Amino acid sequence: KQTRGAFGQGRMETILGDGLAPNAYAFQAVLSNNSRPDALVYMPNGAPSLVIDAKFPLESWQRMADAQASPEQVRFAANGFRNDMGVHIKAISEKYLIAGETADTAFLFVPSESIFADLHEKFEDVVQRALKARIVVVSPSILMLSIQVVQALMRDVRMREQAHVIQQEVARLLEDVGRLSDRVNNLQNHFRLANKDVDEILISTGKVTSRSERIEALEFEETKPVLKAGE
């Protein structure tokens, strides 16, 4: 019995741990009436926490599954399961549904998809009894889906809470982009002036080269000394 209970608790803890931040839930938290639900999921905007119970009566379910000797044994085991579920549903409703502290609805976690399907097929009356007590029976896949919804709500709340910060950061980003544009334009002007200076330097260099070539091309005649009479 303890092993099966630990199995259900372990599956539930894994789902919560994979889907939520560590500060978004708690295990075995103490409520104001000193009761300890298996898990509490803290809802956004200060809403009451969601209670999740993982103590599905697997022992009663197993006795019913093993009672195949006669229809009477099957019926007896099924009635025993109904009674155990009724007691457990009542306990959840009385201990964990606290106005203003916990949500109006609690989850009863079933650690097996096949048991969840059989429960809805063969014990619809038990499921309806739980719903009337504001307790929803959930399978692993339904719990994962519910956690994803809670996660999306929390993300939306964080976005709204940080909206002003985002707006400030966007405004600063636009200012940075404006400064970057101005600096790019200044750099472009520097390059334009540098190119102009280089062009003028090349013009001057060309003139100097041309003059040098012309000077080099000049031919100077060699002057002979003029002899005087008698020399």
Side-chain angles (χ1 to χ4, degrees):
K1 181 177 181 179
Q2 290 179 348
T3 301
R4 289 170 180 162
F7 171 70
Q9 180 77 21
R11 291 209 69 182
M12 180 200 63
E13 292 181 359
T14 299
I15 292 172
L16 295 183
D18 290 343
L20 296 174
N23 61 349
Y25 61 91
F27 300 127
Q28 304 297 324
V30 181
L31 299 179
S32 60
N33 59 2
N34 292 323
S35 61
R36 289 177 177 268
D38 295 323
L40 275 181
V41 177
Y42 302 125
M43 304 300 288
N45 294 323
S49 301
L50 172 66
V51 171
I52 304 176
D53 183 274
K55 300 183 186 70
F56 179 78
L58 284 173
E59 285 294 307
S60 296
W61 185 270
Q62 188 62 43
R63 282 196 296 270
M64 184 183 59
D66 293 340
Q68 302 296 334
S70 66
E72 290 76 13
Q73 289 183 352
V74 173
R75 185 165 53 254
F76 179 79
N79 289 333
F81 173 74
R82 283 188 174 90
N83 291 334
D84 290 344
M85 279 292 290
V87 171
H88 191 52
I89 289 169
K90 182 179 179 182
I92 295 175
S93 177
E94 292 178 350
K95 292 192 302 182
Y96 300 151
L97 298 182
I98 305 174
E101 183 176 357
T102 62
D104 294 338
T105 301
F107 282 179
L108 172 56
F109 178 68
V110 177
S112 168
E113 297 291 342
S114 60
I115 294 178
F116 178 81
D118 286 345
L119 182 64
H120 279 73
E121 180 182 354
K122 301 175 182 178
F123 295 92
E124 182 64 24
D125 57 320
V126 174
V127 175
Q128 292 301 321
R129 182 175 180 178
L131 289 175
K132 289 180 181 179
R134 295 178 297 166
I135 298 169
V136 179
V137 181
V138 297
S139 67
S141 60
I142 293 177
L143 180 59
M144 283 190 285
L145 179 61
S146 302
I147 293 304
Q148 290 174 2
V149 173
V150 172
Q151 188 180 42
L153 291 174
M154 290 180 175
R155 188 184 304 114
D156 183 63
V157 169
R158 288 194 298 269
M159 288 292 291
R160 287 199 302 270
E161 290 175 347
Q162 299 299 321
H164 66 286
V165 177
I166 295 173
Q167 290 175 346
Q168 292 175 358
E169 292 299 325
V170 170
R172 291 171 183 169
L173 178 62
L174 291 175
E175 292 175 358
D176 291 338
V177 171
R179 282 192 292 267
L180 178 61
S181 178
D182 293 339
R183 289 167 182 172
V184 169
N185 289 332
N186 292 336
L187 181 61
Q188 189 175 16
N189 291 332
H190 287 313
F191 279 131
R192 189 181 298 113
L193 292 175
N195 287 334
K196 182 180 179 182
D197 292 339
V198 170
D199 291 341
E200 292 177 352
I201 291 172
L202 290 176
I203 292 172
S204 298
T205 304
K207 290 180 179 180
V208 171
T209 301
S210 298
R211 292 184 187 278
S212 299
E213 291 175 350
R214 286 200 300 271
I215 293 173
E216 185 180 3
L218 291 177
E219 293 181 0
F220 295 95
E221 294 184 358
E222 191 175 322
T223 57
K224 297 180 181 180
V226 179
L227 296 176
K228 297 181 180 179
E231 292 182 353

